[in-house]
Amino acid sequence: KNEVEQSPQNLTAQEGEFITINCSYSVGISALHWLQQHPGGGIVSLFMLSSGKKKHGRLIATINIQEKHSSLHITASHPRDSAVYICAVSALGNTDKLIFGTGTRLQVFP
Amino acid sequence: NAGVMQNPRHLVRRRGQEARLRCSPMKGHSHVYWYRQLPEEGLKFMVYLQKENIIDESGMPKERFSAEFPKEGPSILRIQQVVRGDSAAYFCASSPGTGPYEQYFGPGTRLTVT
């Protein structure tokens, strides 16, 4: 079993829909990261969080440390949000190297 | 402020040749991480370096792979005697210290072994 699990693996949506991507992890963490990888391959850090909730534009990330679970929400989705969204954790005492989920491929259609 | 730079962006090598991948971290960042993404697979940690020190190489294959981050110049990931299974995207990320900190990723080097 992977230390970081994401669901769903694939997601399609119509423009304007509210989207949720889930991430569960099985190790103690110092932080959880949400990353975005575009079709061209580049990786962008969206959020790093260790508690509570963060918001940036139409993106919201939440984390529940007790339940070892995080969600990434996209409000009013747009075709330009189409990408792979990757959850990653910095495991406790582990030099900040990231352990990655397998990613969620999102396609938003106009 | 320039981001993380990697070169080359694409590298083609024949089996048995050497591949050298370079990573220049963001200005002010002294910590570098290398990750590998095999085709249709997720990202995997390879090695974590600070200037002149390898801190964690637990993700590096035991043979043929090495990494360095000299006092001056970029970090280099070196793969000797490449095989087809080494074909992958190699990403470098940097951070300003031991945090946790957000990691900033370079554009990646896509290695193809023919």
Coordinates of all heavy atoms in Angstrom, one line a residue, chain B residues 30-105:
Chain B
S30 N 19.8 26.8 -0.7 CA 21.0 26.0 -0.6 C 20.7 24.5 -0.5 O 21.6 23.7 -0.3 CB 21.8 26.5 0.7 OG 20.9 26.4 1.8
H31 N 19.4 24.2 -0.7 CA 19.0 22.8 -0.6 C 18.5 22.3 -1.9 O 17.6 23.0 -2.5 CB 18.0 22.6 0.5 CG 18.5 22.9 1.9 ND1 18.3 22.0 2.9 CD2 19.1 23.9 2.4 CE1 18.9 22.5 4.0 NE2 19.4 23.7 3.7
V32 N 18.9 21.2 -2.4 CA 18.5 20.7 -3.7 C 18.0 19.2 -3.6 O 18.6 18.4 -2.9 CB 19.7 20.8 -4.7 CG1 19.4 19.9 -6.0 CG2 19.9 22.2 -5.1
Y33 N 16.9 19.0 -4.2 CA 16.3 17.6 -4.3 C 16.3 17.2 -5.7 O 15.9 18.0 -6.6 CB 14.9 17.6 -3.7 CG 14.8 18.1 -2.3 CD1 14.8 19.5 -2.0 CD2 14.8 17.2 -1.2 CE1 14.7 20.0 -0.7 CE2 14.7 17.7 0.1 CZ 14.7 19.1 0.3 OH 14.6 19.5 1.6
W34 N 16.5 15.9 -6.0 CA 16.3 15.3 -7.3 C 15.2 14.3 -7.2 O 15.2 13.4 -6.3 CB 17.6 14.7 -7.8 CG 18.6 15.6 -8.3 CD1 19.7 16.1 -7.6 CD2 18.8 16.2 -9.6 NE1 20.4 17.0 -8.4 CE2 19.9 17.0 -9.6 CE3 18.0 16.0 -10.8 CZ2 20.3 17.7 -10.8 CZ3 18.4 16.7 -11.9 CH2 19.6 17.5 -11.9
Y35 N 14.3 14.3 -8.2 CA 13.2 13.4 -8.2 C 13.1 12.8 -9.6 O 13.5 13.5 -10.6 CB 11.9 14.1 -7.9 CG 11.8 14.7 -6.5 CD1 11.9 16.1 -6.4 CD2 11.5 13.9 -5.4 CE1 11.9 16.6 -5.1 CE2 11.4 14.5 -4.2 CZ 11.6 15.8 -4.0 OH 11.5 16.4 -2.8
R36 N 12.6 11.6 -9.7 CA 12.5 10.9 -11.1 C 11.1 10.6 -11.3 O 10.4 10.1 -10.4 CB 13.4 9.7 -11.1 CG 13.3 8.9 -12.4 CD 14.4 7.9 -12.6 NE 14.4 6.8 -11.7 CZ 15.1 5.7 -11.8 NH1 16.1 5.7 -12.7 NH2 15.0 4.7 -10.9
Q37 N 10.6 10.8 -12.5 CA 9.3 10.4 -12.9 C 9.4 9.4 -14.1 O 9.7 9.9 -15.2 CB 8.4 11.6 -13.3 CG 7.0 11.3 -13.5 CD 6.2 12.6 -13.7 OE1 6.6 13.6 -14.3 NE2 5.0 12.6 -13.1
L38 N 9.2 8.2 -13.9 CA 9.2 7.2 -14.9 C 7.9 7.3 -15.7 O 6.9 7.8 -15.2 CB 9.4 5.8 -14.4 CG 10.7 5.5 -13.7 CD1 10.7 4.2 -12.9 CD2 11.8 5.4 -14.8
P39 N 8.0 6.9 -17.0 CA 6.8 7.0 -17.9 C 5.5 6.4 -17.2 O 5.6 5.3 -16.7 CB 7.2 6.3 -19.1 CG 8.6 6.4 -19.2 CD 9.1 6.3 -17.8
E40 N 4.5 7.1 -17.2 CA 3.2 6.7 -16.6 C 3.3 6.3 -15.1 O 2.5 5.6 -14.6 CB 2.7 5.5 -17.4 CG 2.5 5.8 -18.9 CD 1.6 6.9 -19.2 OE1 0.6 7.1 -18.5 OE2 2.0 7.7 -20.1
E41 N 4.3 6.8 -14.4 CA 4.4 6.6 -13.0 C 4.5 7.9 -12.2 O 4.7 9.0 -12.8 CB 5.6 5.7 -12.7 CG 5.5 4.3 -13.2 CD 6.7 3.4 -12.7 OE1 7.3 3.8 -11.6 OE2 6.9 2.4 -13.3
G42 N 4.4 7.8 -10.9 CA 4.5 9.0 -10.1 C 5.9 9.4 -9.8 O 6.9 8.7 -10.2
L43 N 6.1 10.5 -9.2 CA 7.4 11.0 -8.9 C 8.0 10.3 -7.7 O 7.3 9.9 -6.8 CB 7.3 12.5 -8.5 CG 7.0 13.5 -9.6 CD1 6.2 14.7 -9.2 CD2 8.4 13.9 -10.2
K44 N 9.3 10.1 -7.7 CA 10.0 9.3 -6.7 C 11.2 10.1 -6.3 O 12.0 10.6 -7.1 CB 10.4 7.9 -7.1 CG 9.3 7.0 -7.4 CD 8.7 6.4 -6.1 CE 7.8 5.2 -6.4 NZ 6.5 5.6 -7.1
F45 N 11.5 10.2 -5.0 CA 12.7 10.9 -4.4 C 13.9 10.1 -4.8 O 13.9 8.9 -4.8 CB 12.5 11.0 -2.9 CG 13.8 11.4 -2.2 CD1 14.3 12.7 -2.2 CD2 14.6 10.4 -1.6 CE1 15.4 13.0 -1.6 CE2 15.7 10.7 -0.9 CZ 16.2 12.0 -0.9
M46 N 15.0 10.8 -5.2 CA 16.2 10.2 -5.4 C 17.3 10.6 -4.4 O 17.8 9.8 -3.7 CB 16.8 10.6 -6.8 CG 15.9 10.1 -8.0 SD 16.6 10.5 -9.5 CE 17.8 9.2 -9.6
V47 N 17.6 11.9 -4.3 CA 18.7 12.4 -3.4 C 18.4 13.8 -3.0 O 17.8 14.6 -3.7 CB 20.0 12.3 -4.2 CG1 20.0 13.1 -5.5 CG2 21.2 12.5 -3.3
Y48 N 18.9 14.1 -1.8 CA 18.8 15.4 -1.2 C 20.2 15.9 -0.9 O 21.0 15.2 -0.2 CB 18.0 15.4 0.0 CG 18.0 16.5 1.0 CD1 18.0 17.8 0.5 CD2 18.0 16.3 2.4 CE1 18.1 18.9 1.4 CE2 18.0 17.4 3.3 CZ 18.1 18.6 2.8 OH 18.1 19.7 3.7
L49 N 20.6 17.1 -1.4 CA 21.9 17.6 -1.2 C 21.9 19.1 -0.7 O 21.0 19.8 -0.9 CB 22.7 17.7 -2.5 CG 22.7 16.4 -3.4 CD1 21.8 16.5 -4.6 CD2 24.1 16.1 -3.8
Q50 N 22.9 19.4 0.1 CA 23.2 20.8 0.4 C 24.6 21.0 -0.2 O 25.3 20.1 -0.6 CB 23.2 21.0 2.0 CG 21.9 20.8 2.6 CD 21.9 20.9 4.1 OE1 22.8 21.5 4.7 NE2 20.9 20.3 4.8
K51 N 25.0 22.2 -0.1 CA 26.3 22.6 -0.7 C 27.4 21.6 -0.2 O 27.6 21.6 1.1 CB 26.7 24.0 -0.4 CG 25.9 25.0 -1.2 CD 26.4 25.2 -2.6 CE 25.7 26.4 -3.3 NZ 26.2 26.5 -4.7
E52 N 28.1 20.9 -1.0 CA 29.2 20.1 -0.7 C 28.8 18.9 0.2 O 29.7 18.2 0.7 CB 30.3 20.9 -0.1 CG 30.9 22.0 -1.0 CD 32.0 22.7 -0.3 OE1 31.8 23.5 0.6 OE2 33.2 22.4 -0.7
N53 N 27.5 18.6 0.4 CA 27.1 17.5 1.2 C 26.0 16.7 0.6 O 25.0 17.3 0.1 CB 26.7 18.0 2.6 CG 27.8 18.2 3.5 OD1 28.7 17.4 3.6 ND2 27.9 19.4 4.1
I54 N 26.0 15.4 0.6 CA 24.9 14.6 0.3 C 24.2 14.3 1.7 O 24.8 13.7 2.5 CB 25.3 13.3 -0.4 CG1 25.9 13.6 -1.7 CG2 24.1 12.4 -0.6 CD1 26.5 12.4 -2.5
I55 N 23.0 14.7 1.8 CA 22.3 14.5 3.1 C 21.5 13.2 3.1 O 21.5 12.5 4.1 CB 21.3 15.7 3.4 CG1 22.0 17.0 3.3 CG2 20.6 15.6 4.7 CD1 23.2 17.2 4.2
D56 N 20.9 12.9 2.0 CA 20.0 11.7 2.0 C 20.0 11.2 0.5 O 19.6 11.9 -0.4 CB 18.6 12.0 2.4 CG 17.6 10.8 2.5 OD1 18.0 9.8 1.9 OD2 16.6 11.0 3.0
E57 N 20.6 10.0 0.3 CA 20.6 9.4 -1.0 C 19.9 8.1 -1.0 O 20.1 7.2 -1.8 CB 22.0 9.2 -1.5 CG 22.9 8.4 -0.6 CD 24.4 8.3 -1.2 OE1 24.6 8.7 -2.4 OE2 25.2 7.9 -0.4
S58 N 18.9 7.9 -0.1 CA 18.2 6.7 0.0 C 17.4 6.3 -1.2 O 17.0 5.1 -1.3 CB 17.3 6.7 1.3 OG 16.3 7.8 1.1
G59 N 17.1 7.2 -2.1 CA 16.3 6.9 -3.3 C 17.1 6.7 -4.5 O 16.6 6.4 -5.6
M60 N 18.4 6.7 -4.4 CA 19.3 6.6 -5.5 C 19.6 5.1 -5.8 O 19.8 4.3 -4.9 CB 20.7 7.2 -5.3 CG 20.6 8.7 -5.3 SD 20.7 9.4 -6.9 CE 22.5 9.6 -7.1
P61 N 19.5 4.7 -7.0 CA 19.9 3.3 -7.4 C 21.4 3.1 -6.9 O 22.2 4.0 -6.9 CB 19.8 3.2 -8.9 CG 18.8 4.3 -9.2 CD 18.9 5.4 -8.2
K62 N 21.7 1.9 -6.5 CA 23.0 1.6 -5.9 C 24.1 1.8 -6.9 O 25.2 2.1 -6.5 CB 23.0 0.2 -5.3 CG 22.0 0.0 -4.2 CD 22.3 0.8 -3.0 CE 21.2 0.6 -1.9 NZ 21.1 1.7 -1.0
E63 N 23.9 1.5 -8.1 CA 25.0 1.5 -9.1 C 24.6 2.6 -10.2 O 23.5 2.9 -10.4 CB 25.1 0.2 -9.7 CG 25.6 -0.9 -8.7 CD 25.6 -2.3 -9.3 OE1 25.2 -2.5 -10.5 OE2 26.1 -3.2 -8.6
R64 N 25.7 3.1 -10.8 CA 25.6 4.0 -11.9 C 25.1 5.4 -11.7 O 25.4 6.3 -12.5 CB 24.8 3.3 -13.1 CG 25.2 1.9 -13.5 CD 24.4 1.5 -14.7 NE 23.0 1.3 -14.4 CZ 22.1 2.2 -14.9 NH1 22.4 3.2 -15.7 NH2 20.8 1.9 -14.6
F65 N 24.5 5.6 -10.6 CA 23.9 7.0 -10.3 C 24.8 7.7 -9.2 O 25.1 7.1 -8.2 CB 22.5 6.9 -9.8 CG 21.5 6.6 -10.9 CD1 21.4 5.3 -11.5 CD2 20.6 7.6 -11.3 CE1 20.5 5.0 -12.4 CE2 19.7 7.3 -12.3 CZ 19.6 6.0 -12.9
S66 N 25.1 8.9 -9.5 CA 25.7 9.7 -8.4 C 25.2 11.2 -8.6 O 24.7 11.6 -9.6 CB 27.2 9.7 -8.6 OG 27.7 10.2 -9.8
A67 N 25.4 11.9 -7.5 CA 25.0 13.3 -7.5 C 26.0 14.1 -6.7 O 26.6 13.6 -5.7 CB 23.6 13.5 -6.9
E68 N 26.1 15.4 -7.0 CA 26.9 16.3 -6.3 C 26.3 17.7 -6.4 O 25.6 18.1 -7.3 CB 28.4 16.3 -6.9 CG 28.5 16.8 -8.3 CD 29.9 16.9 -8.8 OE1 30.8 16.4 -8.1 OE2 30.1 17.4 -9.9
F69 N 26.8 18.5 -5.4 CA 26.3 19.9 -5.3 C 27.6 20.7 -4.8 O 27.7 20.9 -3.6 CB 25.2 20.1 -4.4 CG 24.5 21.5 -4.5 CD1 24.8 22.4 -5.5 CD2 23.6 21.8 -3.5 CE1 24.2 23.6 -5.5 CE2 22.9 23.1 -3.5 CZ 23.2 24.0 -4.5
P70 N 28.4 21.1 -5.7 CA 29.7 21.7 -5.3 C 29.5 23.1 -4.7 O 28.4 23.7 -4.9 CB 30.5 21.8 -6.6 CG 29.5 21.8 -7.7 CD 28.3 21.0 -7.2
K71 N 30.5 23.6 -4.1 CA 30.5 24.9 -3.5 C 30.1 26.0 -4.5 O 29.4 26.9 -4.3 CB 31.8 25.2 -2.9 CG 31.9 26.5 -2.0 CD 33.2 26.7 -1.4 CE 33.3 27.9 -0.6 NZ 34.6 28.1 0.0
E72 N 30.7 25.8 -5.7 CA 30.4 26.7 -6.8 C 29.7 25.9 -8.0 O 30.2 24.9 -8.3 CB 31.6 27.5 -7.3 CG 32.4 28.2 -6.3 CD 31.6 29.5 -5.8 OE1 30.8 30.0 -6.6 OE2 31.9 30.0 -4.7
G73 N 28.7 26.5 -8.6 CA 28.2 25.8 -9.7 C 26.9 25.0 -9.4 O 26.5 24.9 -8.3
P74 N 26.4 24.4 -10.5 CA 25.1 23.7 -10.3 C 25.2 22.4 -9.6 O 26.3 21.8 -9.5 CB 24.6 23.6 -11.7 CG 25.9 23.5 -12.5 CD 26.8 24.4 -11.9
S75 N 24.1 21.8 -9.2 CA 24.1 20.4 -8.8 C 24.0 19.6 -10.1 O 23.4 19.9 -11.1 CB 22.8 20.2 -8.0 OG 22.7 18.8 -7.6
I76 N 24.7 18.4 -10.0 CA 24.8 17.5 -11.1 C 24.3 16.1 -10.7 O 24.8 15.6 -9.7 CB 26.2 17.5 -11.7 CG1 26.6 18.9 -12.3 CG2 26.3 16.4 -12.8 CD1 28.0 19.0 -12.8
L77 N 23.4 15.6 -11.5 CA 23.0 14.2 -11.4 C 23.7 13.5 -12.6 O 23.5 13.8 -13.7 CB 21.5 14.0 -11.5 CG 21.0 12.6 -11.3 CD1 21.2 12.0 -10.0 CD2 19.5 12.6 -11.6
R78 N 24.5 12.5 -12.2 CA 25.2 11.8 -13.3 C 24.8 10.3 -13.3 O 24.7 9.6 -12.3 CB 26.7 11.8 -12.9 CG 27.7 11.2 -13.8 CD 29.1 11.4 -13.3 NE 30.1 10.7 -14.1 CZ 31.2 10.2 -13.7 NH1 31.5 10.2 -12.4 NH2 32.1 9.6 -14.5
I79 N 24.5 9.9 -14.5 CA 24.1 8.5 -14.7 C 25.1 7.8 -15.7 O 25.3 8.3 -16.9 CB 22.7 8.3 -15.3 CG1 21.7 9.2 -14.6 CG2 22.2 6.9 -15.3 CD1 20.3 9.3 -15.2
Q80 N 25.8 6.9 -15.2 CA 26.8 6.2 -16.1 C 26.2 5.0 -16.7 O 25.3 4.4 -16.2 CB 28.0 5.7 -15.2 CG 28.8 6.9 -14.6 CD 30.0 6.4 -13.7 OE1 29.7 5.9 -12.6 NE2 31.2 6.6 -14.2
Q81 N 26.7 4.7 -17.9 CA 26.3 3.5 -18.6 C 24.8 3.3 -18.7 O 24.2 2.3 -18.2 CB 27.0 2.2 -18.0 CG 28.5 2.3 -18.1 CD 29.1 1.1 -17.3 OE1 28.6 0.6 -16.3 NE2 30.2 0.6 -17.8
V82 N 24.1 4.3 -19.2 CA 22.7 4.4 -19.2 C 22.1 3.2 -19.9 O 22.6 2.6 -20.8 CB 22.1 5.7 -19.9 CG1 22.6 6.9 -19.1 CG2 22.6 5.8 -21.3
V83 N 20.9 2.8 -19.4 CA 20.1 1.7 -19.9 C 18.7 2.2 -20.3 O 18.4 3.3 -19.8 CB 20.0 0.5 -19.0 CG1 21.4 -0.1 -18.6 CG2 19.3 0.9 -17.7
R84 N 18.0 1.5 -21.1 CA 16.7 2.0 -21.5 C 15.8 2.3 -20.3 O 15.0 3.2 -20.4 CB 16.0 0.9 -22.4 CG 16.6 0.8 -23.7 CD 15.5 0.8 -24.8 NE 16.2 0.9 -26.1 CZ 16.4 -0.1 -26.9 NH1 16.1 -1.4 -26.5 NH2 17.0 0.0 -28.1
G85 N 15.9 1.6 -19.2 CA 15.1 1.8 -18.0 C 15.3 3.1 -17.3 O 14.6 3.5 -16.4
D86 N 16.4 3.8 -17.7 CA 16.7 5.1 -17.2 C 15.9 6.2 -17.8 O 15.9 7.4 -17.4 CB 18.2 5.4 -17.3 CG 19.1 4.5 -16.5 OD1 18.6 3.9 -15.5 OD2 20.3 4.2 -16.9
S87 N 15.3 5.9 -19.0 CA 14.5 6.9 -19.7 C 13.4 7.4 -18.7 O 12.5 6.6 -18.2 CB 13.8 6.3 -20.9 OG 14.8 5.9 -21.9
A88 N 13.4 8.7 -18.5 CA 12.4 9.3 -17.5 C 12.6 10.8 -17.6 O 13.5 11.3 -18.2 CB 12.7 8.8 -16.1
A89 N 11.7 11.4 -16.8 CA 11.9 12.9 -16.6 C 12.5 13.0 -15.2 O 12.1 12.4 -14.2 CB 10.5 13.6 -16.6
Y90 N 13.6 13.8 -15.1 CA 14.3 14.1 -13.9 C 14.0 15.5 -13.5 O 14.4 16.4 -14.2 CB 15.8 13.8 -14.1 CG 16.0 12.3 -14.3 CD1 15.9 11.7 -15.6 CD2 16.4 11.5 -13.3 CE1 16.1 10.4 -15.8 CE2 16.7 10.1 -13.5 CZ 16.5 9.6 -14.8 OH 16.7 8.2 -15.0
F91 N 13.5 15.7 -12.3 CA 13.2 17.0 -11.8 C 14.1 17.3 -10.6 O 14.3 16.5 -9.8 CB 11.7 17.1 -11.3 CG 10.7 17.0 -12.5 CD1 10.1 15.8 -12.9 CD2 10.3 18.2 -13.1 CE1 9.2 15.8 -13.9 CE2 9.4 18.2 -14.2 CZ 8.8 16.9 -14.5
C92 N 14.5 18.6 -10.6 CA 15.2 19.1 -9.5 C 14.3 20.1 -8.8 O 13.5 20.8 -9.4 CB 16.4 19.8 -10.1 SG 17.2 21.0 -9.0
A93 N 14.4 20.2 -7.5 CA 13.6 21.2 -6.7 C 14.6 21.8 -5.7 O 15.6 21.2 -5.3 CB 12.5 20.5 -6.0
S94 N 14.3 23.0 -5.3 CA 15.2 23.7 -4.3 C 14.3 24.3 -3.2 O 13.1 24.6 -3.4 CB 16.1 24.7 -5.0 OG 15.4 25.9 -5.3
S95 N 14.9 24.5 -2.1 CA 14.3 25.1 -0.9 C 15.4 25.9 -0.2 O 16.6 25.6 -0.3 CB 13.6 24.1 0.0 OG 14.5 23.4 0.7
P96 N 15.0 26.9 0.6 CA 15.9 27.7 1.3 C 16.6 27.1 2.5 O 17.6 27.6 3.1 CB 15.1 29.0 1.7 CG 13.7 28.5 1.8 CD 13.6 27.4 0.8
G97 N 16.0 26.0 3.1 CA 16.6 25.4 4.2 C 15.8 24.1 4.6 O 15.0 23.6 3.9
T98 N 16.1 23.7 5.9 CA 15.4 22.5 6.4 C 14.2 23.1 7.1 O 14.4 23.9 8.1 CB 16.3 21.7 7.4 OG1 17.5 21.3 6.6 CG2 15.6 20.5 7.9
G99 N 13.0 22.7 6.7 CA 11.8 23.4 7.2 C 10.9 22.6 8.0 O 11.1 22.4 9.2
P100 N 9.7 22.3 7.4 CA 9.5 22.1 6.0 C 9.3 23.4 5.3 O 8.8 24.4 5.9 CB 8.3 21.3 5.9 CG 7.5 21.6 7.1 CD 8.5 21.9 8.2
Y101 N 9.8 23.5 4.1 CA 9.6 24.6 3.2 C 9.0 24.2 1.9 O 9.1 23.0 1.5 CB 11.0 25.3 2.8 CG 11.6 26.1 3.9 CD1 12.6 25.6 4.7 CD2 11.2 27.4 4.2 CE1 13.2 26.4 5.7 CE2 11.7 28.2 5.2 CZ 12.7 27.7 6.0 OH 13.3 28.4 6.9
E102 N 8.3 25.1 1.3 CA 7.8 24.9 -0.1 C 9.0 24.6 -1.0 O 10.1 25.2 -0.8 CB 7.1 26.1 -0.6 CG 6.2 25.9 -1.7 CD 5.3 27.1 -1.9 OE1 5.3 28.0 -1.1 OE2 4.6 27.1 -3.0
Q103 N 8.8 23.6 -1.8 CA 9.9 23.3 -2.8 C 9.5 23.8 -4.2 O 8.4 23.7 -4.6 CB 10.1 21.8 -2.9 CG 10.7 21.2 -1.6 CD 11.1 19.7 -1.7 OE1 11.2 19.2 -2.7 NE2 11.2 19.1 -0.5
Y104 N 10.5 24.4 -4.8 CA 10.3 25.0 -6.1 C 11.0 24.1 -7.2 O 12.2 23.8 -7.1 CB 10.9 26.4 -6.2 CG 10.2 27.4 -5.2 CD1 10.5 27.5 -3.9 CD2 9.2 28.2 -5.7 CE1 9.8 28.3 -3.0 CE2 8.5 29.1 -4.9 CZ 8.8 29.1 -3.5 OH 8.2 29.9 -2.7
F105 N 10.2 23.7 -8.1 CA 10.6 22.7 -9.1 C 11.2 23.4 -10.4 O 10.7 24.4 -10.8 CB 9.5 21.8 -9.5 CG 9.2 20.8 -8.5 CD1 8.4 21.2 -7.3 CD2 9.6 19.5 -8.6 CE1 8.2 20.2 -6.3 CE2 9.3 18.5 -7.6 CZ 8.6 18.9 -6.5

